[in-house]
């Protein structure tokens, strides 16, 4: 998702790679795209009527040397009642975009049919170099995206992930240091290449059963670096349900930006600074394991019961390498119960003596050590 969902700044002495359109707000929008690592190569008609500025047929290319090469195609952008404030930032009552596609040079693409942002205190864009992360998220408005699809081309074929709608619903009036609310996506769907038979079968069943839903509620106190993910739930009918809660400390704006930099390489300071505190994750199998077992049984010519028994024995053997008898016992019991069909829900709860940095977890080489470091316990029902 690109910077269009947020806003665009006006700079005192801009250097334009495109021909000015003659409309200051439209030019500010195009400069925002260029500050996001793109070069605007062409722009269609720009029109202004009844306080609504319409910009059509925007085309861009990624700047040379960027990690991901490709270009954007945007069929239509509407800027409703844009106003320039004393800080040199345009603010709009509504920003609507239709027909957005970003395509990498390898053919992978992101497509969004439409997106709209209402009642914003609009700031430069969350992905630009001209606004800090805290400034960008403090827009305080509601966002709605429709029919979003991500297509990734690989050697074995095309992978696709999408959802019908994505919404952001704030629960507080956001500031530059505090934001809280709910992300909600509905109509989740996915597909795999037909060559990946097991995954393709799961995707086929998911399509037949209906799309899934993802909801995340969180509260981020950026100044203190505390991110509380109160609830993250993923539901895919007929396959699985997942629920997670996690408290994270050290998640300051600086560390958050360092974890997700534009070059894709997290900084050592951010890896050491961001730490996991108490949390839990529960996965409920509603049919996913049975689908894999059925497909495996068909492929290797065994009964589903034989495949489950073989899987349970294999997992128990692999877990012998853990070393810690207590942890090995927990994992072995859980793995055997799931593989044999005696349980369908697994919960991992973490309660470390003190928050554990991501860097520490990266340096851990065994499952047993990771569980011990996190103070993790595991249960199956």
């Amino acid at each position: 998702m690109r910077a269009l969902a947020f806003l665009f700044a006006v700079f005192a002495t801009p250097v334009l790679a495109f021909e000015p359109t003659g409309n200051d707000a439209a030019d500010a929008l195009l400069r925002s795209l260029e500050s996001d690592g793109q070069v605007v190569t062409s722009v269609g008609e720009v029109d202004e009527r009844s306080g609504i500025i319409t910009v059509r047929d925007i085309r861009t290319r990624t700047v040379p040397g960027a990690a991901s090469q490709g270009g954007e195609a945007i069929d239509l952008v509407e800027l409703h009642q844009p106003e320039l404030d004393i800080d040199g930032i345009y603010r709009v009552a509504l920003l609507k975009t239709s027909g957005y596609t970003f395509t990498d040079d390898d053919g992978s693409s992101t497509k969004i049919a439409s997106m709209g942002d209402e009642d914003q205190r609009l700031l430069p864009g969350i992905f630009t170099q001209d606004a800090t992360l805290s400034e960008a998220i403090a827009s305080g408005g509601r966002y709605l995206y429709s029919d979003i699809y991500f297509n990734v081309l690989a050697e074995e074929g095309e992978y696709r992930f999408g959802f019908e709608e994505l919404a952001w619903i704030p629960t507080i009036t956001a500031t530059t240091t505090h934001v809280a609310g709910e992300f909600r996506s509905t109509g989740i769907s996915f597909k795999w290449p037909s060559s990946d038979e097991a995954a393709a079968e799961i995707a086929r069943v998911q399509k037949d059963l209906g799309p899934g839903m993802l909801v995340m509620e969180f509260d981020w106190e950026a100044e203190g670096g505390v991110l509380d993910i109160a609830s993250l739930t993923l539901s895919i009918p007929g396959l699985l349900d997942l629920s997670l809660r996690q408290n994270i400390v050290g998640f300051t704006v600086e560390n958050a930006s360092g974890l997700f930099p534009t070059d894709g390489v997290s900084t050592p300071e951010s890896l050491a600074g961001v730490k996991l505190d108490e949390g839990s994750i529960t996965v409920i199998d509603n049919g996913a394991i049975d689908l894999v077992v059925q497909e495996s049984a068909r492929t290797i010519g065994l009964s589903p019961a034989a495949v489950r028994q073989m899987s349970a024995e294999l997992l128990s053997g692999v877990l012998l390498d853990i070393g810690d008898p207590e942890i090995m016992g927990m994992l072995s019991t859980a793995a055997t119960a799931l593989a044999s069909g005696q349980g369908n829900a697994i919960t991992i709860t973490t309660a470390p003596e003190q928050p554990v940095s991501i860097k520490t977890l990266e340096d851990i080489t065994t499952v047993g050590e990771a569980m011990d470091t996190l103070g993790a316990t595991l249960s199956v029902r």
Side-chain angles (χ1 to χ4, degrees):
M1 217 153 308
R2 312 292 293 176
L4 278 179
F6 296 88
L7 217 345
F8 41 95
V10 175
F11 306 103
T13 56
V15 178
L16 304 181
F18 56 90
E19 288 293 327
T21 65
N23 185 291
D24 290 342
D27 288 346
L29 170 69
L30 299 177
R31 283 198 295 276
S32 175
L33 291 174
E34 295 208 330
S35 70
D36 193 18
Q38 299 288 310
V39 175
V40 176
T41 58
S42 65
V43 182
E45 179 184 0
V46 177
D47 181 55
E48 182 172 4
R49 297 181 183 180
S50 302
I52 301 175
I53 298 172
T54 302
V55 186
R56 301 180 184 277
D57 300 324
I58 302 172
R59 301 294 182 267
T60 74
R61 288 290 301 172
T62 311
V63 295
S68 178
Q69 290 293 304
E72 294 175 317
I74 307 168
D75 294 342
L76 176 69
V77 179
E78 291 183 3
L79 310 175
H80 290 233
Q81 288 80 49
E83 294 183 359
L84 182 63
D85 69 9
I86 59 174
D87 297 320
I89 297 172
Y90 271 102
R91 304 171 189 269
V92 300
L94 177 67
L95 184 150
K96 294 176 63 178
T97 299
S98 301
Y100 172 90
T101 302
F102 179 83
T103 304
D104 284 328
D105 281 349
D106 66 1
S108 301
S109 63
T110 300
K111 297 181 180 180
I112 304 176
S114 65
M115 53 186 172
D117 315 326
E118 297 182 1
D119 303 326
Q120 297 183 77
R121 296 186 294 110
L122 294 170
L123 295 156
I126 193 169
F127 299 114
T128 74
Q129 300 301 310
D130 308 296
T132 66
L133 185 59
S134 61
E135 288 175 334
I137 63 176
S139 52
R142 298 168 61 99
Y143 308 102
L144 176 65
Y145 305 84
S146 302
D147 298 326
I148 304 176
Y149 297 97
F150 302 90
N151 298 275
V152 179
L153 295 180
E155 184 176 341
E156 62 272 22
E158 181 184 60
Y159 293 81
R160 173 168 168 164
F161 173 77
F163 41 81
E164 294 172 2
E165 286 190 350
L166 172 65
W168 161 244
I169 305 168
T171 54
I172 66 170
T173 300
T175 69
T176 57
T177 59
H178 191 191
V179 61
E182 176 184 290
F183 281 112
R184 177 180 294 271
S185 65
T186 57
I188 299 173
S189 62
F190 50 87
K191 76 172 186 178
W192 279 267
S194 57
S195 58
D196 189 342
E197 294 184 3
E201 176 66 10
I202 290 176
R204 183 194 66 76
V205 172
Q206 185 269 336
K207 180 179 179 181
D208 292 341
L209 293 172
M213 174 181 290
L214 173 68
V215 180
M216 181 174 73
E217 299 178 17
F218 74 94
D219 188 310
W220 182 23
E221 190 74 61
E223 191 170 22
V226 177
L227 172 61
D228 179 23
I229 302 175
S231 172
L232 186 154
T233 58
L234 170 66
S235 177
I236 302 177
L239 292 179
L240 61 84
D241 290 327
L242 179 149
S243 61
L244 174 146
R245 64 174 180 80
Q246 182 66 60
N247 185 261
I248 302 173
V249 298
F251 201 77
T252 61
V253 171
E254 183 179 6
N255 282 338
S257 300
L259 276 182
F260 309 105
T262 55
D263 62 5
V265 181
S266 299
T267 65
E269 294 80 9
S270 64
L271 292 172
V274 176
K275 301 178 181 181
L276 302 184
D277 206 341
E278 295 182 346
S280 69
I281 181 169
T282 297
V283 180
I284 301 174
D285 171 40
N286 292 328
I289 292 178
D290 190 55
L291 280 173
V292 173
V293 168
Q294 295 287 347
E295 181 64 24
S296 299
R298 184 187 67 81
T299 301
I300 63 180
L302 295 176
S303 69
V307 171
R308 285 185 178 275
Q309 179 63 29
M310 184 174 62
S311 299
E313 293 173 355
L314 178 63
L315 287 169
S316 295
V318 170
L319 294 172
L320 289 175
D321 294 332
I322 289 179
D324 187 311
E326 183 179 356
I327 293 176
M328 184 181 70
M330 282 194 300
L331 292 176
S332 180
T333 300
T336 300
L338 291 174
S340 63
Q342 298 173 10
N344 76 325
I346 182 170
T347 298
I348 299 175
T349 302
T350 59
E353 293 182 1
Q354 57 186 16
V356 180
S357 72
I358 294 176
K359 179 65 169 63
T360 297
L361 293 175
E362 280 194 340
D363 293 339
I364 291 175
T365 58
T366 67
V367 175
E369 185 182 357
M371 292 189 67
D372 186 58
T373 302
L374 289 169
T377 58
L378 186 150
S379 62
V380 176
R381 67 178 192 274

